[in-house]
Amino acid sequence: MAALPSDGEMREKKRILVTGGAGFIGTHTVLQLLKGGFLVSIIDNFDNSCEEALERVRDLAGPDLSQNLQFYLGDLRNREDLERVFSESRYDAVIHFAGLKAVGESVAKPLLYYNNNMIGTIHLYEFMTKYGCKKMVFSSSTTVYGQPEKIPCVEDSELNALNPYGRTKLFLEDMARDIQHADPEFRVILLRYFNPVGAHESGQIGEDPKGIPNNLMPYIQQVAVGRRPVLNVYGDDYPTKDGTPIRDYIHVMDVADGHIAALRKLFAEENIGCIAYNLGTGFGTSVLEMVAAFEKAAGKKIPIKMCPRRPGDATEVYASTEKAQKDLGWSARYGIAEMCRDQWNWASKNPYGYQSQPPES
Ligand code: NAD
Ligand code: UFG
């Protein structure tokens, strides 16, 4: 493998377009990009995020580095918005987070998901092609492994999607492969995140889902701050050590750093094609273990209620991390205790997320 350039060598005048940069993973990644010396432009429609999140990123980056951040309020489905973004600056690479991500909502509103995730991404590739920007880091998901038959999940496993959200990720992975095949100048890295949790160590930025959280950690967090009375645990009759499903939780700062590692590879190597990497820790943790770890971090009890299984949940999912470690020189640094510590720090300082008072329900 060719030596990857250091941050210092690489950061010279590199401008990165980050779609969905105001969201959960986006804010953490943008902060790391600014700290790494990159120039960053964000396009986001604030569908699932807000201006305050970007203000916090600017504060954390400090006055000098925050000057390197440019924001466009815009929607990837709107070509005029993209024309403005691409005509005003030249981008060396794109990190594409923007998309809708709630599995249940995608089942209820498939057209919304196909419209947003597919059309937005098609437009993005069209503008990248038009303006000669051919390096892409795409947010994929463990969802493309479906109900994995073999664990740990390795990148060349057979792919399968179980719901409209998952199908958009699967189609978009296939689309990336086709686009790169047709135009070998494209270099595309597909990052398959496992279960990103935690928050920046400052407690100033973190995950702030609108409405009832779909995912385990934001739900636990809202129980811990008193916004919800009890955590529903969906199933304790799985064939696992304590009967609850096992996932590979990964600290969002590790996910953010995985994007920097992916960029370094994109800038260093010519013929990478379109290549997928898992971003996980390689360790599985059960729901009840996660609850116990959070209780320890927060110093308080999380009331739980045992409920029937949630349809479609896999029993056990965790990543094989070898490929990312070997090719990207990246591996996760944080464990469950740090994920819970940082998530609690964010929750206790921001019980209503980026709002100062309870959202109207
Ligand atoms: P998020 O909802 O916090 O961030 C997505 C951002 O994209 C939001 O700020 C939203 O306003 C914006 N957006 C959505 N559609 C847009 C559009 N058409 N035009 C402009 N902006 C738009 O989600 P996240 O957790 O940060 O996830 C980022 C990406 O990672 C998504 O593509 C998601 O599917 C993927 N992913 C997330 C997870 C996870 O557990 N968080 C796991 C695997 C994959
Ligand atoms: N869980 C609960 N109670 C809750 C929420 C979740 O018990 O209130 C359990 C789930 O049943 C599951 C585990 O916690 O056993 C993890 O659930 P998450 O929803 O946090 O995470 P998933 O692994 O189910 O889903 C994640 C992403 C999806 C993606 C999927 C792919 O959120 O977008 O991984 O495997 F599709």
Side-chain angles (χ1 to χ4, degrees), residues 6-42:
S6 67
D7 287 343
E9 285 165 336
M10 180 178 67
R11 69 185 175 205
E12 275 307 306
K13 295 188 184 65
K14 295 269 191 259
R15 179 173 285 281
I16 313 299
L17 175 63
V18 182
T19 76
F24 171 43
I25 305 173
T27 43
H28 293 80
T29 304
V30 166
L31 182 60
Q32 293 303 83
L33 287 169
L34 292 171
K35 288 194 166 167
F38 292 93
L39 306 172
V40 180
S41 297
I42 293 175

Side-chain angles (χ1 to χ4, degrees), residues 142-143 165 195 214-216 232-234 245 247 287 310 313:
T142 122
T143 194
Y165 165 70
N195 291 60
N214 299 297
N215 301 116
L216 180 65
N232 296 321
V233 173
Y234 297 127
R247 295 289 183 273
V287 173
R310 193 171 68 172
D313 271 351

Side-chain angles (χ1 to χ4, degrees), residues 71-122:
F71 176 69
Y72 292 93
L73 180 61
D75 193 307
L76 297 185
R77 290 166 296 178
N78 185 347
R79 288 171 190 278
E80 283 159 21
D81 292 347
L82 279 170
E83 182 61 46
R84 181 157 170 245
V85 169
F86 276 89
S87 61
E88 286 184 3
S89 299
R90 197 190 66 81
Y91 299 102
D92 296 289
V94 174
I95 300 179
H96 179 29
F97 292 113
L100 300 176
K101 62 168 184 177
V103 173
E105 186 184 50
S106 81
V107 175
K109 300 177 183 171
L111 267 179
L112 177 68
Y113 274 66
Y114 289 119
N115 182 298
N116 193 79
N117 294 4
M118 301 304 301
I119 293 177
T121 308
I122 290 169

Side-chain angles (χ1 to χ4, degrees), residues 254-271:
D254 279 327
V255 175
D257 289 339
H259 290 76
I260 313 283
L263 282 181
R264 293 172 70 185
K265 187 172 177 74
L266 283 185
F267 289 128
E269 288 177 42
E270 280 184 13
N271 297 314

Side-chain angles (χ1 to χ4, degrees), residues 178-235:
D178 288 340
I179 289 170
Q180 196 285 324
H181 181 75
D183 180 351
E185 282 184 12
F186 261 100
R187 304 179 199 179
V188 184
I189 292 186
L190 311 169
L191 294 179
R192 296 179 183 153
Y193 317 144
F194 279 64
N195 291 60
V197 300
H200 186 259
E201 61 176 11
S202 65
Q204 293 305 306
I205 54 174
E207 187 168 13
D208 181 20
K210 291 184 178 165
I212 301 170
N214 299 297
N215 301 116
L216 180 65
M217 281 299 270
Y219 207 107
I220 292 181
Q221 167 184 327
Q222 293 197 3
V223 174
V225 298
R227 285 174 65 176
R228 302 193 186 271
V230 64
L231 171 75
N232 296 321
V233 173
Y234 297 127

Side-chain angles (χ1 to χ4, degrees), residues 136-151:
M136 168 71 125
V137 181
F138 174 68
S139 295
S140 189
S141 163
T142 122
T143 194
V144 299
Y145 293 117
Q147 288 268 7
E149 278 183 16
K150 269 199 262 169
I151 43 172

Side-chain angles (χ1 to χ4, degrees), residues 21-24 26-28 30-31 42 44-61 69 71 73 202-208 210 346 349-350 352-357:
F24 171 43
T27 43
H28 293 80
V30 166
L31 182 60
I42 293 175
D44 199 302
N45 63 2
F46 288 149
D47 181 80
N48 196 34
S49 52
C50 59
E51 176 68 43
E52 174 66 15
L54 292 182
E55 279 308 315
R56 305 252 185 124
V57 170
R58 288 190 188 99
D59 282 351
L60 289 170
L69 177 61
F71 176 69
L73 180 61
S202 65
Q204 293 305 306
I205 54 174
E207 187 168 13
D208 181 20
K210 291 184 178 165
W346 154 248
K349 289 180 175 158
N350 305 276
Y352 302 107
Y354 291 111
Q355 317 300 317
S356 53
Q357 49 192 329

